[in-house]
Amino acid sequence: QKEVEQDPGPLSVPEGAIVSLNCTYSNSAFQYFMWYRQYSRKGPELLMYTYSSGNKEDGRFTAQVDKSSKYISLFIRDSQPSDSATYLCAMSAGNYGQNFVFGPGTRLSVLP
Amino acid sequence: DVKVTQSSRYLVKRTGEKVFLECVQDMDHENMFWYRQDPGLGLRLIYFSYDVKMKEKGDIPEGYSVSREKKERFSLILESASTNQTSMYLCASSFPLLTTGDLANTGELFFGEGSRLTVL
């Protein structure tokens, strides 16, 4: 079993749809959770960051963490064609090495 | 703006050749990382460095080495390239993750644009 699992997609939605992207993980020590967005032929960029459980909202984006289920989600409201990208979840236990473990990414296409 | 610059966007090499990938960051970050990105596998950590002349193996260090002689520069070396090293290589840098919770430094990774290496 991989440490972080993520549906690779591709996921295609019409403009304006609500998008739900998800990751599951197996390491209960993870407590730092990030979502990165990667446009084609570019490096990933941080989109959302959450510590421990709970929700965090930033504009059209909401990140949720459910540590009891080892499940994290990213919701995109009113999706736009500019949201078309690959979304990578990443998580860390915050211990020595401070390394983030990445999911394989979900490729999202928002169709105008 | 934070900038992480990778020396080559696209490289084509032959099996057995020595390959250097260079990465420079301008934010005085302590940590620097090399990842490779492959379809379906995501980002896998090759090596990282948390200080000058320090290096630690990541998850897939075999066939690679690194060098960090200056704080801003982190090089990835393939001593003898093989076809299974054809991949996208991403360099990243960050401040240390301060484990004091939500308000602390997040350890956000700043990535370069990637170097796509093809080994024939």
Side-chain angles (χ1 to χ4, degrees), chain A residues 2 32 34 36 38 41-46 49-51 56 88 92-100 102-105, chain B residues 9-10 31 33 35 37 40-43 45 48 50 56 90 96-102 106-109 111-113:
Chain A
K2 290 182 182 175
Y32 298 88
M34 292 185 172
Y36 283 82
Q38 184 177 22
R41 291 186 288 278
K42 297 286 187 181
E45 294 179 305
L46 181 67
Y49 162 73
T50 311
Y51 169 69
K56 190 169 188 178
L88 303 155
S92 169
N95 53 4
Y96 174 72
Q98 304 173 355
N99 296 322
F100 282 87
F102 283 82
Chain B
R9 291 296 306 276
Y10 301 96
N31 296 347
F33 306 81
Y35 291 88
Q37 185 174 29
L41 298 177
L43 273 71
L45 183 63
F48 68 98
Y50 54 88
E56 296 279 348
L90 287 162
L97 170 63
L98 299 179
T99 56
T100 57
D102 190 45
T106 65
E108 175 185 357
L109 293 166
F111 286 89
E113 296 206 317

Side-chain angles (χ1 to χ4, degrees), chain A residues 12-20 60-61 75-84 87 108-112:
Chain A
S12 291
V13 301
E15 184 176 354
I18 296 174
V19 176
S20 171
R60 296 184 294 109
F61 299 90
F75 297 96
I76 308 174
R77 289 184 300 281
D78 187 25
S79 55
Q80 302 295 310
S82 58
D83 296 327
S84 298
Y87 290 80
L108 171 68
S109 294
V110 180
L111 306 174

Side-chain angles (χ1 to χ4, degrees), chain B residues 42-55:
Chain B
L43 273 71
R44 292 180 292 166
L45 183 63
I46 304 172
Y47 267 97
F48 68 98
S49 168
Y50 54 88
D51 202 352
V52 176
K53 297 193 186 293
M54 306 301 287
K55 59 184 179 184

Side-chain angles (χ1 to χ4, degrees), chain A residues 5-23:
Chain A
E5 308 249 17
Q6 185 176 7
D7 186 338
L11 178 63
S12 291
V13 301
E15 184 176 354
I18 296 174
V19 176
S20 171
L21 304 169
N22 310 296
C23 287

Side-chain angles (χ1 to χ4, degrees), chain B residues 63-83:
Chain B
Y64 303 95
S65 62
V66 291
S67 172
R68 192 164 181 203
E69 296 297 318
K70 293 185 178 182
K71 189 175 185 179
E72 68 271 17
R73 189 180 296 269
F74 193 35
S75 300
L76 180 69
I77 303 144
L78 288 67
E79 292 288 343
S80 178
S82 62
T83 54

